Every structure is written in C-alpha cells, then in structure tokens.
Amino acid sequence: MKRETPGHLSRRQVLRRAGGLTAAALVGSAALTQAGTASAAVAASKRFDLTDPSDEWFREIPLNETRILQSFAFDNTNKHLYTAQLVQDGRVLPGETRTYTGTERATNGDLCITRLDWQGYIIGRMYLKGFGHGVSIGVEPSGNSAYLWTESDSVPDSKNNGYGTKIARFKFANGAVIRPDSPQVTRYTPVAGSDHNTVAIDPVTNRIAHRYRINGTTWKYSLYDLATFKAGTFTPLATITQPSVLTGPTFQGYTSMGQYLYTLDGDAYTYDDTGKQTSTGNTYVTSIDWNTGTVYERRQSKAGESLFYREPEGLAIQIPDMSTPTVARLHLGFGSEESLSQTDKKASFYYKDLLV
C-alpha cells in the first residue's frame, strides 16, 4: 500500500487541490526525444500520473497453471479478471494422447485463460491451442460472460516461441479447449503480413489497440473503434511507430485509455545459487500520446519490489464501479516465485489511479 506521512497532505491530495501539474512538470527526462511517427486525431483526455505510487490489489495469488503470468484484462461489468499463461509442462488436455513439455507448449502457442472473481478466487478456465504467447489480451463483456480477444494462428519465432499472425475473438466457455479454426472463433487480419499480433481494449472509449510487427523489424500500434474493427473494417483512428526508448528491457505489455497508450517493460530479478539477488529492478511504465507518437512520461515502477523473482507481466484498465467510469485504475501485473527451490509462479497486481 502507499506510504504517506501522517499529519500531512498526501501528494495525491495536493495535486487534486492544486488542479494537477503542468505537462512539463510530469515529463520524464527521456520523454520528448523519443517520439515515434504517428497519424491521428484522438480526442484529448486525462492521463494517469505515472509518478503516483502504486497500491496493492492482490499479492501472490495462484492461477490455473504454474507458469508465469503473461497478461491480463478486466471484465468491469461482471467484475471478473482474466489472465493468460502458457500451458504448464505435463498438462494433458481433452483429446490429447500424450504429455507435452513446457517448451513444446511455448513453440505451439498453447495458452490457458483463467477467470477469477475480484476476490482473487479462480472461477473458470479454458485452453487455447495454437494461439500465441499471450503478451496482451482484451475482454469485451457480454451478458454475464465475455468475449475474449487474443492473438491466434501462432507461428514460432527464431527462439521457438509461438506468436500470433492474426487476431481472434471468441466467447469464454469454462472448460473448453479450442483451436484457431474452431467454429466459435472469429479471426481478423487487420495488417496483412504482420506478425506478433496482440490487442488490448480501452473499456472507457470502447476502442481496441493493436500491436504488431511488420517486415520482421518495425513495431507499430494502431487504435480502432471496437465496433468498426469487429465488423471487419480496419480504418485506424491512430497509428504509432514504437518509440526507440522501448528497445531496452523486455517488452511486457500495453493498454490504452483515451488519448494515451501505456506500455510496460522490464526483466525479472536474478539471483546467485545462494538466493542472493544479483540484479535490481528495471520495470518501467511509459505513456505515449496517440496523436503524436511522443513519449509523454516514462517512470520506473517500484510496485511489488519485495517480491521474489518479480517479473513485470501485463497492463490493463480496471473500472471499479461502472456507474462512475471516470474513476479508473491502471493495473500492473507481476509474476513471482516463493524461492529458488519453489518455482511455481504466483501473480500480483498493483495499480495507479491518479488522473491528471
């Protein structure tokens, strides 16, 4: 939780009383030199202040698989949390006649989607065979369930990790095992010839962000109206080239709300054979203006810094109360372990909620 000095106004209270800070005061030192190319006309909106300390939501909860959390997204209508993981070593799914290693699952792009309630309890799971790596997922509420948006049609890269060449939409079905060509799956190809396709949904504006790579080298993001995208018309509201500042630590996820794209990058802590930590955290959250491709703010995150292993994994927008959608949270996900000998992964979630 946040640490605030008793008897003094918190930084958040000061900002709210002052009406917020100027843009110049909140821009990180690398910001304005890291612009990508962009073409857009996205309406102005508030943004998350990335200097706002993070609150803890869940710390070290188990998911369906023992592997690392890859990404997550919220069903804010039904108050569900969906997470994506690669299928664990030794798991035998319905219709399979043998066990598969974790490496085989990663190469094939086999994912497990776990559904949890907002108390952190598992209330469902389904399996996706041949979909991808799960870097980002989207959730579209529908009645008391939801449609999921993921990558699909996985193809292995040079490291034998499968990544999606298309985008898929399907309704969550507890216990189901599906493939990209299953009848309940609708597939989309918004950018022909692209790879490493993933999506994230902005639940405030009902837009969908699409990250992809073209020519095997250039990373792009495009923003679409969700209904238009779903209908198969791929006319972006904005297209951004990934800023060069994101070529450092490992890319770990993204999301979008209003005028801003948010990204997460960083690596897990490392340890020597005695369990002593040998690396410091390098987790960064970055906000990027959809209209210009400019990095507005880039800040290191210390959320969950006491976790053992601590690998950043995913970003998503939570609306705690849909009757007040202007109150939002930017959630950061982390995977962790108990110790060097107890390596089953747990998931933790922290959030920022100061909009300026």
Side-chain angles (χ1 to χ4, degrees):
M1 302 296 288
K2 292 188 178 71
R3 297 181 296 275
E4 297 176 346
T5 304
H8 294 78
L9 287 177
S10 71
R11 181 181 180 282
R12 181 174 298 178
Q13 290 170 318
V14 170
L15 278 174
R16 284 175 175 158
R17 293 190 181 190
L21 296 179
T22 64
L26 288 166
V27 174
S29 61
L32 297 181
T33 63
Q34 300 292 347
T37 59
S39 174
V42 179
S45 72
K46 291 186 175 182
R47 56 182 170 74
F48 288 103
D49 178 1
L50 302 185
T51 66
D52 179 34
S54 298
D55 285 312
E56 181 181 291
W57 194 49
F58 293 142
R59 183 181 173 92
E60 298 194 294
I61 60 172
L63 304 178
N64 196 73
E65 305 297 282
T66 59
R67 301 186 73 169
I68 195 82
L69 170 74
Q70 293 289 346
S71 61
F72 62 100
F74 292 98
D75 176 345
N76 295 299
T77 300
N78 296 298
K79 298 190 183 303
H80 293 156
L81 168 67
Y82 290 86
T83 66
Q85 299 166 278
L86 288 165
V87 177
Q88 69 188 45
D89 175 70
R91 174 80 72 192
V92 180
L93 301 178
E96 294 180 341
T97 58
R98 70 173 180 91
T99 61
Y100 291 87
T101 66
T103 299
E104 288 176 311
R105 293 295 191 186
T107 300
N108 196 51
D110 294 346
L111 298 173
C112 175
I113 303 294
T114 303
R115 181 168 67 181
L116 304 96
D117 62 23
W118 283 11
Q119 287 71 51
Y121 295 105
I122 294 174
I123 55 173
R125 77 280 295 153
M126 68 183 299
Y127 291 93
L128 321 179
K129 296 184 66 174
F131 277 69
H133 201 69
V135 173
S136 183
I137 61 173
V139 174
E140 177 192 351
S142 176
N144 60 6
S145 187
Y147 283 91
L148 302 183
W149 290 81
T150 70
E151 62 197 289
S152 73
D153 295 73
S154 178
V155 172
D157 67 1
S158 60
K159 297 181 180 179
N160 284 325
N161 289 312
Y163 290 91
T165 57
K166 299 180 186 294
I167 299 300
R169 177 182 182 264
F170 52 90
K171 198 164 191 179
F172 179 84
N174 188 26
V177 179
I178 63 172
R179 300 175 182 274
D181 59 357
S182 294
Q184 61 267 54
V185 178
T186 301
R187 286 179 286 179
Y188 302 86
T189 308
V191 180
S194 61
D195 60 17
H196 286 67
N197 285 262
T198 53
V199 290
I201 289 179
D202 175 348
V204 176
T205 64
N206 288 315
R207 295 175 183 149
I208 186 167
H210 173 216
R211 182 178 188 255
Y212 53 98
R213 190 177 68 171
I214 56 175
N215 302 321
T217 57
T218 304
W219 293 95
K220 296 274 190 178
Y221 302 80
S222 291
L223 183 67
Y224 301 85
D225 172 75
L226 179 59
T228 303
F229 189 101
K230 189 163 54 177
T233 300
F234 307 122
T235 304
L237 303 169
T239 295
I240 290 173
T241 300
Q242 181 166 284
S244 59
V245 71
L246 298 181
T247 59
T250 304
F251 186 88
Q252 299 284 12
Y254 66 101
T255 193
S256 179
M257 194 175 89
Q259 184 185 349
Y260 297 93
L261 171 71
Y262 299 91
T263 67
L264 180 70
D265 59 285
D267 300 295
Y269 295 159
T270 58
Y271 303 84
D272 63 22
D273 56 9
T274 68
K276 181 179 178 181
Q277 187 176 316
T278 57
S279 67
T280 56
N282 65 345
T283 296
Y284 284 86
V285 184
T286 303
S287 58
I288 304 166
D289 189 330
W290 276 112
N291 286 310
T292 63
T294 299
V295 171
Y296 195 93
E297 188 176 5
R298 179 171 169 81
R299 301 290 181 181
Q300 186 174 11
S301 172
K302 296 292 187 178
E305 62 182 333
S306 64
L307 293 168
F308 187 88
Y309 184 78
R310 187 186 182 262
E311 183 173 3
E313 297 285 357
L315 289 177
I317 303 296
Q318 182 188 33
I319 311 298
D321 183 350
M322 288 300 287
S323 66
T324 55
T326 55
V327 178
R329 295 172 175 176
L330 175 65
H331 271 261
L332 292 70
F334 293 90
S336 63
E337 299 175 351
E338 301 251 346
S339 66
L340 287 178
S341 60
Q342 296 173 290
T343 59
D344 288 359
K345 302 298 189 293
K346 303 294 193 302
S348 299
F349 303 90
Y350 297 80
Y351 65 88
K352 299 178 182 295
D353 60 359
L354 179 56
L355 288 165
V356 292

PDB file of all heavy atoms in Angstrom, residues 35-69:
ATOM      1  N   ALA A  35      10.100  10.436 -29.629  1.00  0.00           N
ATOM      2  CA  ALA A  35       8.870  10.368 -30.404  1.00  0.00           C
ATOM      3  C   ALA A  35       8.975   9.375 -31.538  1.00  0.00           C
ATOM      4  O   ALA A  35       9.975   9.316 -32.241  1.00  0.00           O
ATOM      5  CB  ALA A  35       8.532  11.759 -30.956  1.00  0.00           C
ATOM      6  N   GLY A  36       7.897   8.577 -31.710  1.00  0.00           N
ATOM      7  CA  GLY A  36       7.765   7.756 -32.895  1.00  0.00           C
ATOM      8  C   GLY A  36       6.930   8.532 -33.906  1.00  0.00           C
ATOM      9  O   GLY A  36       6.452   9.632 -33.636  1.00  0.00           O
ATOM     10  N   THR A  37       6.727   7.986 -35.101  1.00  0.00           N
ATOM     11  CA  THR A  37       5.859   8.637 -36.070  1.00  0.00           C
ATOM     12  C   THR A  37       4.417   8.281 -35.759  1.00  0.00           C
ATOM     13  O   THR A  37       4.125   7.222 -35.238  1.00  0.00           O
ATOM     14  CB  THR A  37       6.213   8.183 -37.493  1.00  0.00           C
ATOM     15  OG1 THR A  37       6.081   6.757 -37.586  1.00  0.00           O
ATOM     16  CG2 THR A  37       7.629   8.580 -37.841  1.00  0.00           C
ATOM     17  N   ALA A  38       3.500   9.188 -36.075  1.00  0.00           N
ATOM     18  CA  ALA A  38       2.095   8.959 -35.769  1.00  0.00           C
ATOM     19  C   ALA A  38       1.223   9.724 -36.744  1.00  0.00           C
ATOM     20  O   ALA A  38       1.636  10.708 -37.351  1.00  0.00           O
ATOM     21  CB  ALA A  38       1.785   9.402 -34.337  1.00  0.00           C
ATOM     22  N   SER A  39      -0.003   9.260 -36.908  1.00  0.00           N
ATOM     23  CA  SER A  39      -1.018   9.953 -37.682  1.00  0.00           C
ATOM     24  C   SER A  39      -2.331   9.709 -36.979  1.00  0.00           C
ATOM     25  O   SER A  39      -2.806   8.582 -36.935  1.00  0.00           O
ATOM     26  CB  SER A  39      -1.068   9.419 -39.119  1.00  0.00           C
ATOM     27  OG  SER A  39      -2.139  10.000 -39.822  1.00  0.00           O
ATOM     28  N   ALA A  40      -2.929  10.776 -36.370  1.00  0.00           N
ATOM     29  CA  ALA A  40      -4.098  10.530 -35.550  1.00  0.00           C
ATOM     30  C   ALA A  40      -4.862  11.804 -35.268  1.00  0.00           C
ATOM     31  O   ALA A  40      -4.373  12.910 -35.452  1.00  0.00           O
ATOM     32  CB  ALA A  40      -3.687   9.887 -34.228  1.00  0.00           C
ATOM     33  N   ALA A  41      -6.099  11.629 -34.797  1.00  0.00           N
ATOM     34  CA  ALA A  41      -6.931  12.722 -34.315  1.00  0.00           C
ATOM     35  C   ALA A  41      -7.787  12.169 -33.193  1.00  0.00           C
ATOM     36  O   ALA A  41      -9.000  12.060 -33.302  1.00  0.00           O
ATOM     37  CB  ALA A  41      -7.775  13.290 -35.447  1.00  0.00           C
ATOM     38  N   VAL A  42      -7.143  11.790 -32.112  1.00  0.00           N
ATOM     39  CA  VAL A  42      -7.830  11.205 -30.959  1.00  0.00           C
ATOM     40  C   VAL A  42      -8.153  12.318 -29.975  1.00  0.00           C
ATOM     41  O   VAL A  42      -7.290  13.130 -29.645  1.00  0.00           O
ATOM     42  CB  VAL A  42      -6.950  10.122 -30.291  1.00  0.00           C
ATOM     43  CG1 VAL A  42      -7.653   9.532 -29.076  1.00  0.00           C
ATOM     44  CG2 VAL A  42      -6.614   9.029 -31.301  1.00  0.00           C
ATOM     45  N   ALA A  43      -9.390  12.361 -29.505  1.00  0.00           N
ATOM     46  CA  ALA A  43      -9.826  13.439 -28.617  1.00  0.00           C
ATOM     47  C   ALA A  43      -8.980  13.474 -27.352  1.00  0.00           C
ATOM     48  O   ALA A  43      -8.558  12.441 -26.823  1.00  0.00           O
ATOM     49  CB  ALA A  43     -11.295  13.242 -28.257  1.00  0.00           C
ATOM     50  N   ALA A  44      -8.736  14.687 -26.860  1.00  0.00           N
ATOM     51  CA  ALA A  44      -7.938  14.871 -25.652  1.00  0.00           C
ATOM     52  C   ALA A  44      -8.614  14.221 -24.451  1.00  0.00           C
ATOM     53  O   ALA A  44      -9.842  14.146 -24.366  1.00  0.00           O
ATOM     54  CB  ALA A  44      -7.735  16.364 -25.396  1.00  0.00           C
ATOM     55  N   SER A  45      -7.811  13.722 -23.528  1.00  0.00           N
ATOM     56  CA  SER A  45      -8.338  13.087 -22.328  1.00  0.00           C
ATOM     57  C   SER A  45      -7.349  13.257 -21.190  1.00  0.00           C
ATOM     58  O   SER A  45      -6.198  13.655 -21.395  1.00  0.00           O
ATOM     59  CB  SER A  45      -8.586  11.592 -22.573  1.00  0.00           C
ATOM     60  OG  SER A  45      -7.355  10.891 -22.662  1.00  0.00           O
ATOM     61  N   LYS A  46      -7.790  12.940 -19.985  1.00  0.00           N
ATOM     62  CA  LYS A  46      -6.878  12.877 -18.866  1.00  0.00           C
ATOM     63  C   LYS A  46      -5.953  11.680 -19.038  1.00  0.00           C
ATOM     64  O   LYS A  46      -6.215  10.778 -19.844  1.00  0.00           O
ATOM     65  CB  LYS A  46      -7.648  12.771 -17.549  1.00  0.00           C
ATOM     66  CG  LYS A  46      -8.403  14.044 -17.181  1.00  0.00           C
ATOM     67  CD  LYS A  46      -9.018  13.928 -15.789  1.00  0.00           C
ATOM     68  CE  LYS A  46      -9.669  15.244 -15.395  1.00  0.00           C
ATOM     69  NZ  LYS A  46     -10.244  15.166 -14.012  1.00  0.00           N
ATOM     70  N   ARG A  47      -4.871  11.677 -18.254  1.00  0.00           N
ATOM     71  CA  ARG A  47      -3.914  10.572 -18.311  1.00  0.00           C
ATOM     72  C   ARG A  47      -3.518  10.188 -16.898  1.00  0.00           C
ATOM     73  O   ARG A  47      -3.683  10.959 -15.940  1.00  0.00           O
ATOM     74  CB  ARG A  47      -2.671  10.982 -19.092  1.00  0.00           C
ATOM     75  CG  ARG A  47      -2.036  12.201 -18.512  1.00  0.00           C
ATOM     76  CD  ARG A  47      -0.810  12.698 -19.258  1.00  0.00           C
ATOM     77  NE  ARG A  47      -0.438  13.995 -18.733  1.00  0.00           N
ATOM     78  CZ  ARG A  47       0.149  14.182 -17.564  1.00  0.00           C
ATOM     79  NH1 ARG A  47       0.464  13.144 -16.797  1.00  0.00           N
ATOM     80  NH2 ARG A  47       0.436  15.392 -17.139  1.00  0.00           N
ATOM     81  N   PHE A  48      -3.009   8.979 -16.761  1.00  0.00           N
ATOM     82  CA  PHE A  48      -2.518   8.527 -15.474  1.00  0.00           C
ATOM     83  C   PHE A  48      -1.182   9.199 -15.165  1.00  0.00           C
ATOM     84  O   PHE A  48      -0.297   9.243 -16.023  1.00  0.00           O
ATOM     85  CB  PHE A  48      -2.336   7.011 -15.463  1.00  0.00           C
ATOM     86  CG  PHE A  48      -3.636   6.258 -15.449  1.00  0.00           C
ATOM     87  CD1 PHE A  48      -4.117   5.670 -16.606  1.00  0.00           C
ATOM     88  CD2 PHE A  48      -4.372   6.129 -14.280  1.00  0.00           C
ATOM     89  CE1 PHE A  48      -5.313   4.971 -16.603  1.00  0.00           C
ATOM     90  CE2 PHE A  48      -5.575   5.436 -14.265  1.00  0.00           C
ATOM     91  CZ  PHE A  48      -6.046   4.860 -15.427  1.00  0.00           C
ATOM     92  N   ASP A  49      -1.066   9.717 -13.940  1.00  0.00           N
ATOM     93  CA  ASP A  49       0.200  10.270 -13.478  1.00  0.00           C
ATOM     94  C   ASP A  49       1.081   9.101 -13.062  1.00  0.00           C
ATOM     95  O   ASP A  49       0.806   8.423 -12.074  1.00  0.00           O
ATOM     96  CB  ASP A  49      -0.066  11.209 -12.300  1.00  0.00           C
ATOM     97  CG  ASP A  49       1.206  11.802 -11.721  1.00  0.00           C
ATOM     98  OD1 ASP A  49       2.308  11.497 -12.239  1.00  0.00           O
ATOM     99  OD2 ASP A  49       1.105  12.557 -10.738  1.00  0.00           O
ATOM    100  N   LEU A  50       2.137   8.855 -13.797  1.00  0.00           N
ATOM    101  CA  LEU A  50       2.983   7.688 -13.545  1.00  0.00           C
ATOM    102  C   LEU A  50       3.903   7.867 -12.350  1.00  0.00           C
ATOM    103  O   LEU A  50       4.560   6.910 -11.931  1.00  0.00           O
ATOM    104  CB  LEU A  50       3.790   7.357 -14.802  1.00  0.00           C
ATOM    105  CG  LEU A  50       2.959   7.070 -16.056  1.00  0.00           C
ATOM    106  CD1 LEU A  50       3.866   6.638 -17.203  1.00  0.00           C
ATOM    107  CD2 LEU A  50       1.878   6.030 -15.802  1.00  0.00           C
ATOM    108  N   THR A  51       3.945   9.078 -11.781  1.00  0.00           N
ATOM    109  CA  THR A  51       4.692   9.257 -10.533  1.00  0.00           C
ATOM    110  C   THR A  51       3.849   8.875  -9.320  1.00  0.00           C
ATOM    111  O   THR A  51       4.367   8.802  -8.205  1.00  0.00           O
ATOM    112  CB  THR A  51       5.168  10.709 -10.373  1.00  0.00           C
ATOM    113  OG1 THR A  51       4.032  11.566 -10.216  1.00  0.00           O
ATOM    114  CG2 THR A  51       5.995  11.149 -11.570  1.00  0.00           C
ATOM    115  N   ASP A  52       2.571   8.654  -9.527  1.00  0.00           N
ATOM    116  CA  ASP A  52       1.674   8.241  -8.443  1.00  0.00           C
ATOM    117  C   ASP A  52       2.111   6.876  -7.910  1.00  0.00           C
ATOM    118  O   ASP A  52       2.172   5.915  -8.684  1.00  0.00           O
ATOM    119  CB  ASP A  52       0.243   8.153  -8.998  1.00  0.00           C
ATOM    120  CG  ASP A  52      -0.777   7.716  -7.974  1.00  0.00           C
ATOM    121  OD1 ASP A  52      -0.623   8.063  -6.785  1.00  0.00           O
ATOM    122  OD2 ASP A  52      -1.733   7.030  -8.371  1.00  0.00           O
ATOM    123  N   PRO A  53       2.427   6.743  -6.623  1.00  0.00           N
ATOM    124  CA  PRO A  53       2.811   5.426  -6.098  1.00  0.00           C
ATOM    125  C   PRO A  53       1.697   4.405  -6.302  1.00  0.00           C
ATOM    126  O   PRO A  53       0.520   4.753  -6.355  1.00  0.00           O
ATOM    127  CB  PRO A  53       3.054   5.697  -4.604  1.00  0.00           C
ATOM    128  CG  PRO A  53       3.331   7.156  -4.531  1.00  0.00           C
ATOM    129  CD  PRO A  53       2.492   7.790  -5.598  1.00  0.00           C
ATOM    130  N   SER A  54       2.073   3.145  -6.397  1.00  0.00           N
ATOM    131  CA  SER A  54       1.112   2.089  -6.716  1.00  0.00           C
ATOM    132  C   SER A  54       0.508   1.465  -5.467  1.00  0.00           C
ATOM    133  O   SER A  54       1.205   1.218  -4.487  1.00  0.00           O
ATOM    134  CB  SER A  54       1.794   0.992  -7.549  1.00  0.00           C
ATOM    135  OG  SER A  54       2.252   1.507  -8.772  1.00  0.00           O
ATOM    136  N   ASP A  55      -0.793   1.197  -5.525  1.00  0.00           N
ATOM    137  CA  ASP A  55      -1.496   0.470  -4.471  1.00  0.00           C
ATOM    138  C   ASP A  55      -1.492  -1.022  -4.792  1.00  0.00           C
ATOM    139  O   ASP A  55      -1.576  -1.418  -5.966  1.00  0.00           O
ATOM    140  CB  ASP A  55      -2.947   0.931  -4.368  1.00  0.00           C
ATOM    141  CG  ASP A  55      -3.081   2.278  -3.703  1.00  0.00           C
ATOM    142  OD1 ASP A  55      -2.467   2.476  -2.641  1.00  0.00           O
ATOM    143  OD2 ASP A  55      -3.805   3.139  -4.241  1.00  0.00           O
ATOM    144  N   GLU A  56      -1.453  -1.842  -3.776  1.00  0.00           N
ATOM    145  CA  GLU A  56      -1.534  -3.292  -3.955  1.00  0.00           C
ATOM    146  C   GLU A  56      -2.998  -3.730  -4.039  1.00  0.00           C
ATOM    147  O   GLU A  56      -3.828  -3.331  -3.222  1.00  0.00           O
ATOM    148  CB  GLU A  56      -0.854  -3.977  -2.775  1.00  0.00           C
ATOM    149  CG  GLU A  56      -0.855  -5.503  -2.855  1.00  0.00           C
ATOM    150  CD  GLU A  56      -0.199  -6.123  -1.642  1.00  0.00           C
ATOM    151  OE1 GLU A  56       1.034  -5.983  -1.510  1.00  0.00           O
ATOM    152  OE2 GLU A  56      -0.919  -6.721  -0.810  1.00  0.00           O
ATOM    153  N   TRP A  57      -3.316  -4.559  -5.036  1.00  0.00           N
ATOM    154  CA  TRP A  57      -4.650  -5.152  -5.162  1.00  0.00           C
ATOM    155  C   TRP A  57      -4.600  -6.598  -4.693  1.00  0.00           C
ATOM    156  O   TRP A  57      -5.233  -6.963  -3.726  1.00  0.00           O
ATOM    157  CB  TRP A  57      -5.147  -5.037  -6.606  1.00  0.00           C
ATOM    158  CG  TRP A  57      -6.616  -5.320  -6.762  1.00  0.00           C
ATOM    159  CD1 TRP A  57      -7.634  -4.799  -6.024  1.00  0.00           C
ATOM    160  CD2 TRP A  57      -7.220  -6.179  -7.738  1.00  0.00           C
ATOM    161  NE1 TRP A  57      -8.841  -5.280  -6.474  1.00  0.00           N
ATOM    162  CE2 TRP A  57      -8.623  -6.120  -7.519  1.00  0.00           C
ATOM    163  CE3 TRP A  57      -6.723  -6.977  -8.777  1.00  0.00           C
ATOM    164  CZ2 TRP A  57      -9.524  -6.838  -8.311  1.00  0.00           C
ATOM    165  CZ3 TRP A  57      -7.622  -7.678  -9.556  1.00  0.00           C
ATOM    166  CH2 TRP A  57      -9.007  -7.626  -9.326  1.00  0.00           C
ATOM    167  N   PHE A  58      -3.861  -7.450  -5.394  1.00  0.00           N
ATOM    168  CA  PHE A  58      -3.618  -8.835  -4.970  1.00  0.00           C
ATOM    169  C   PHE A  58      -2.117  -9.071  -4.920  1.00  0.00           C
ATOM    170  O   PHE A  58      -1.399  -8.617  -5.811  1.00  0.00           O
ATOM    171  CB  PHE A  58      -4.211  -9.854  -5.945  1.00  0.00           C
ATOM    172  CG  PHE A  58      -5.712  -9.867  -6.012  1.00  0.00           C
ATOM    173  CD1 PHE A  58      -6.351 -10.050  -7.229  1.00  0.00           C
ATOM    174  CD2 PHE A  58      -6.490  -9.707  -4.877  1.00  0.00           C
ATOM    175  CE1 PHE A  58      -7.735 -10.074  -7.313  1.00  0.00           C
ATOM    176  CE2 PHE A  58      -7.865  -9.717  -4.939  1.00  0.00           C
ATOM    177  CZ  PHE A  58      -8.498  -9.899  -6.165  1.00  0.00           C
ATOM    178  N   ARG A  59      -1.679  -9.798  -3.925  1.00  0.00           N
ATOM    179  CA  ARG A  59      -0.272 -10.165  -3.837  1.00  0.00           C
ATOM    180  C   ARG A  59      -0.140 -11.681  -3.826  1.00  0.00           C
ATOM    181  O   ARG A  59      -0.710 -12.354  -2.964  1.00  0.00           O
ATOM    182  CB  ARG A  59       0.375  -9.583  -2.574  1.00  0.00           C
ATOM    183  CG  ARG A  59       1.876  -9.888  -2.469  1.00  0.00           C
ATOM    184  CD  ARG A  59       2.458  -9.318  -1.181  1.00  0.00           C
ATOM    185  NE  ARG A  59       3.854  -9.738  -0.992  1.00  0.00           N
ATOM    186  CZ  ARG A  59       4.909  -9.052  -1.400  1.00  0.00           C
ATOM    187  NH1 ARG A  59       4.737  -7.899  -2.018  1.00  0.00           N
ATOM    188  NH2 ARG A  59       6.137  -9.498  -1.194  1.00  0.00           N
ATOM    189  N   GLU A  60       0.555 -12.200  -4.828  1.00  0.00           N
ATOM    190  CA  GLU A  60       0.934 -13.610  -4.916  1.00  0.00           C
ATOM    191  C   GLU A  60      -0.254 -14.559  -4.788  1.00  0.00           C
ATOM    192  O   GLU A  60      -0.333 -15.376  -3.874  1.00  0.00           O
ATOM    193  CB  GLU A  60       2.017 -13.926  -3.886  1.00  0.00           C
ATOM    194  CG  GLU A  60       3.290 -13.127  -4.150  1.00  0.00           C
ATOM    195  CD  GLU A  60       4.487 -13.634  -3.382  1.00  0.00           C
ATOM    196  OE1 GLU A  60       4.479 -13.542  -2.147  1.00  0.00           O
ATOM    197  OE2 GLU A  60       5.417 -14.140  -4.040  1.00  0.00           O
ATOM    198  N   ILE A  61      -1.177 -14.448  -5.732  1.00  0.00           N
ATOM    199  CA  ILE A  61      -2.283 -15.392  -5.791  1.00  0.00           C
ATOM    200  C   ILE A  61      -1.972 -16.444  -6.856  1.00  0.00           C
ATOM    201  O   ILE A  61      -1.294 -16.168  -7.848  1.00  0.00           O
ATOM    202  CB  ILE A  61      -3.625 -14.703  -6.098  1.00  0.00           C
ATOM    203  CG1 ILE A  61      -3.582 -13.974  -7.456  1.00  0.00           C
ATOM    204  CG2 ILE A  61      -3.992 -13.731  -4.973  1.00  0.00           C
ATOM    205  CD1 ILE A  61      -4.935 -13.448  -7.904  1.00  0.00           C
ATOM    206  N   PRO A  62      -2.455 -17.680  -6.682  1.00  0.00           N
ATOM    207  CA  PRO A  62      -2.224 -18.710  -7.694  1.00  0.00           C
ATOM    208  C   PRO A  62      -3.197 -18.569  -8.855  1.00  0.00           C
ATOM    209  O   PRO A  62      -4.346 -18.137  -8.674  1.00  0.00           O
ATOM    210  CB  PRO A  62      -2.481 -20.012  -6.924  1.00  0.00           C
ATOM    211  CG  PRO A  62      -3.456 -19.625  -5.857  1.00  0.00           C
ATOM    212  CD  PRO A  62      -3.107 -18.208  -5.478  1.00  0.00           C
ATOM    213  N   LEU A  63      -2.734 -18.916 -10.047  1.00  0.00           N
ATOM    214  CA  LEU A  63      -3.584 -19.011 -11.230  1.00  0.00           C
ATOM    215  C   LEU A  63      -3.758 -20.483 -11.576  1.00  0.00           C
ATOM    216  O   LEU A  63      -3.318 -21.366 -10.834  1.00  0.00           O
ATOM    217  CB  LEU A  63      -2.966 -18.221 -12.381  1.00  0.00           C
ATOM    218  CG  LEU A  63      -2.673 -16.746 -12.087  1.00  0.00           C
ATOM    219  CD1 LEU A  63      -2.019 -16.074 -13.288  1.00  0.00           C
ATOM    220  CD2 LEU A  63      -3.921 -15.994 -11.659  1.00  0.00           C
ATOM    221  N   ASN A  64      -4.387 -20.775 -12.701  1.00  0.00           N
ATOM    222  CA  ASN A  64      -4.657 -22.180 -13.017  1.00  0.00           C
ATOM    223  C   ASN A  64      -3.392 -22.964 -13.328  1.00  0.00           C
ATOM    224  O   ASN A  64      -3.277 -24.142 -12.984  1.00  0.00           O
ATOM    225  CB  ASN A  64      -5.617 -22.275 -14.202  1.00  0.00           C
ATOM    226  CG  ASN A  64      -6.238 -23.661 -14.329  1.00  0.00           C
ATOM    227  OD1 ASN A  64      -7.097 -24.023 -13.540  1.00  0.00           O
ATOM    228  ND2 ASN A  64      -5.787 -24.438 -15.314  1.00  0.00           N
ATOM    229  N   GLU A  65      -2.423 -22.342 -13.990  1.00  0.00           N
ATOM    230  CA  GLU A  65      -1.178 -23.004 -14.347  1.00  0.00           C
ATOM    231  C   GLU A  65      -0.062 -22.545 -13.406  1.00  0.00           C
ATOM    232  O   GLU A  65      -0.157 -21.488 -12.773  1.00  0.00           O
ATOM    233  CB  GLU A  65      -0.793 -22.695 -15.800  1.00  0.00           C
ATOM    234  CG  GLU A  65      -1.880 -23.024 -16.816  1.00  0.00           C
ATOM    235  CD  GLU A  65      -2.224 -24.505 -16.865  1.00  0.00           C
ATOM    236  OE1 GLU A  65      -1.461 -25.275 -17.478  1.00  0.00           O
ATOM    237  OE2 GLU A  65      -3.278 -24.886 -16.296  1.00  0.00           O
ATOM    238  N   THR A  66       1.002 -23.306 -13.368  1.00  0.00           N
ATOM    239  CA  THR A  66       2.137 -22.952 -12.506  1.00  0.00           C
ATOM    240  C   THR A  66       3.151 -22.063 -13.219  1.00  0.00           C
ATOM    241  O   THR A  66       4.139 -21.646 -12.616  1.00  0.00           O
ATOM    242  CB  THR A  66       2.847 -24.213 -12.002  1.00  0.00           C
ATOM    243  OG1 THR A  66       3.301 -24.978 -13.139  1.00  0.00           O
ATOM    244  CG2 THR A  66       1.919 -25.064 -11.158  1.00  0.00           C
ATOM    245  N   ARG A  67       2.916 -21.742 -14.490  1.00  0.00           N
ATOM    246  CA  ARG A  67       3.834 -20.904 -15.251  1.00  0.00           C
ATOM    247  C   ARG A  67       3.549 -19.428 -15.014  1.00  0.00           C
ATOM    248  O   ARG A  67       2.547 -19.034 -14.409  1.00  0.00           O
ATOM    249  CB  ARG A  67       3.758 -21.250 -16.736  1.00  0.00           C
ATOM    250  CG  ARG A  67       4.107 -22.700 -17.026  1.00  0.00           C
ATOM    251  CD  ARG A  67       4.173 -23.013 -18.498  1.00  0.00           C
ATOM    252  NE  ARG A  67       5.374 -22.452 -19.135  1.00  0.00           N
ATOM    253  CZ  ARG A  67       5.754 -22.761 -20.360  1.00  0.00           C
ATOM    254  NH1 ARG A  67       5.043 -23.626 -21.082  1.00  0.00           N
ATOM    255  NH2 ARG A  67       6.845 -22.241 -20.896  1.00  0.00           N
ATOM    256  N   ILE A  68       4.427 -18.583 -15.540  1.00  0.00           N
ATOM    257  CA  ILE A  68       4.364 -17.150 -15.295  1.00  0.00           C
ATOM    258  C   ILE A  68       3.123 -16.535 -15.938  1.00  0.00           C
ATOM    259  O   ILE A  68       2.689 -16.938 -17.018  1.00  0.00           O
ATOM    260  CB  ILE A  68       5.650 -16.464 -15.837  1.00  0.00           C
ATOM    261  CG1 ILE A  68       5.811 -15.042 -15.298  1.00  0.00           C
ATOM    262  CG2 ILE A  68       5.665 -16.458 -17.360  1.00  0.00           C
ATOM    263  CD1 ILE A  68       6.401 -14.990 -13.931  1.00  0.00           C
ATOM    264  N   LEU A  69       2.539 -15.572 -15.256  1.00  0.00           N
ATOM    265  CA  LEU A  69       1.511 -14.725 -15.847  1.00  0.00           C
ATOM    266  C   LEU A  69       2.083 -14.056 -17.091  1.00  0.00           C
ATOM    267  O   LEU A  69       3.212 -13.567 -17.076  1.00  0.00           O
ATOM    268  CB  LEU A  69       1.104 -13.654 -14.829  1.00  0.00           C
ATOM    269  CG  LEU A  69       0.221 -12.510 -15.314  1.00  0.00           C
ATOM    270  CD1 LEU A  69      -1.208 -12.997 -15.533  1.00  0.00           C
ATOM    271  CD2 LEU A  69       0.243 -11.363 -14.296  1.00  0.00           C
TER     272      LEU A  69
END
